[in-house]
Amino acid sequence: GIVYGISDYGLAQGLGISNQEAQEYIDAYFERYPGVRDYIRETIQSAKNMGYVTTLLNRRRYIPDINSRNYHLRSFAERAAMNTPIQGSAADIIKVAMVKVYNHLKQNNFKTKLLLQVHDEIILNVPKTELLPVKQILKQDMENAISLKVPLVVDFTQGYTWEEL
């Protein structure tokens, strides 16, 4: 929440603490990770200058209210400017991974079906006989969807229902 511009009030409500405690927590976070504050400032400034922000794959989100005189509109726009490069890039990555997985499943004539994507998860219906090779495809395609400075690590769970997962 801090990275996305949560206020002391919002954090306090979410954690059930006072606004003052929440602000101390936010301050301590930025003290420990000053690069995050720099990133946020640079992202907002770039949005103010260009009128948009981009994801890692250069999708643009225009932020028309980023220079608004209205505090509430501008604050919302600043939070959107902070959120989009991170959440939008995560969305880009999972979409690229899903296309790669789908193509590999199709090329290998697997009966496995992609059912659902939720945030950074892909839910599949996998016959037991395909479980091991499908896990290998998922690991390869998801961890290598795009090249990053830090590795993406994939883990698996399996079950008969989403609730079990």
Side-chain angles (χ1 to χ4, degrees), residues 78-90:
E78 289 175 356
R79 287 191 300 277
M82 289 184 276
N83 178 290
T84 296
I86 298 167
Q87 292 290 334
S89 294

Side-chain angles (χ1 to χ4, degrees), residues 104-131:
H104 276 127
L105 294 174
K106 192 171 183 175
Q107 288 168 2
N108 291 297
N109 295 315
F110 282 113
K111 293 180 180 169
T112 295
K113 301 291 182 205
L114 290 168
L115 296 180
L116 187 63
Q117 175 253 323
V118 180
H119 299 290
D120 61 350
E121 298 177 1
I122 300 175
I123 299 173
L124 302 98
N125 186 350
V126 184
K128 285 183 181 182
T129 57
E130 295 179 359
L131 196 55

Side-chain angles (χ1 to χ4, degrees), residues 65-147:
D65 293 324
I66 194 71
N67 293 308
S68 175
R69 290 183 180 189
N70 180 305
Y71 172 80
H72 295 291
L73 291 176
R74 187 178 64 252
S75 294
F76 181 80
E78 289 175 356
R79 287 191 300 277
M82 289 184 276
N83 178 290
T84 296
I86 298 167
Q87 292 290 334
S89 294
D92 288 349
I93 293 167
I94 196 70
K95 286 177 180 85
V96 168
M98 287 175 60
V99 169
K100 287 183 174 192
V101 168
Y102 174 81
N103 287 336
H104 276 127
L105 294 174
K106 192 171 183 175
Q107 288 168 2
N108 291 297
N109 295 315
F110 282 113
K111 293 180 180 169
T112 295
K113 301 291 182 205
L114 290 168
L115 296 180
L116 187 63
Q117 175 253 323
V118 180
H119 299 290
D120 61 350
E121 298 177 1
I122 300 175
I123 299 173
L124 302 98
N125 186 350
V126 184
K128 285 183 181 182
T129 57
E130 295 179 359
L131 196 55
L132 185 58
V134 168
K135 279 185 175 183
Q136 292 170 340
I137 288 170
L138 280 170
K139 185 168 182 62
Q140 174 189 334
D141 290 346
M142 290 180 76
E143 289 184 348
N144 298 296
I146 68 170
S147 179

Side-chain angles (χ1 to χ4, degrees), residues 19-89:
N19 290 6
Q20 182 180 344
E21 287 176 288
Q23 187 59 57
E24 290 169 4
Y25 187 83
I26 292 168
D27 293 343
Y29 178 87
F30 284 129
E31 198 171 305
R32 184 167 184 184
Y33 303 107
V36 174
R37 177 172 274 155
D38 295 342
Y39 168 79
I40 290 169
R41 285 182 182 148
E42 290 167 12
T43 300
I44 291 171
Q45 189 57 52
S46 175
K48 287 181 178 191
N49 293 340
M50 308 214 14
Y52 63 87
V53 292
T54 60
T55 66
L56 283 175
L57 297 183
N58 292 316
R59 270 190 314 118
R60 287 185 184 180
R61 179 176 182 181
Y62 289 90
I63 315 284
D65 293 324
I66 194 71
N67 293 308
S68 175
R69 290 183 180 189
N70 180 305
Y71 172 80
H72 295 291
L73 291 176
R74 187 178 64 252
S75 294
F76 181 80
E78 289 175 356
R79 287 191 300 277
M82 289 184 276
N83 178 290
T84 296
I86 298 167
Q87 292 290 334
S89 294

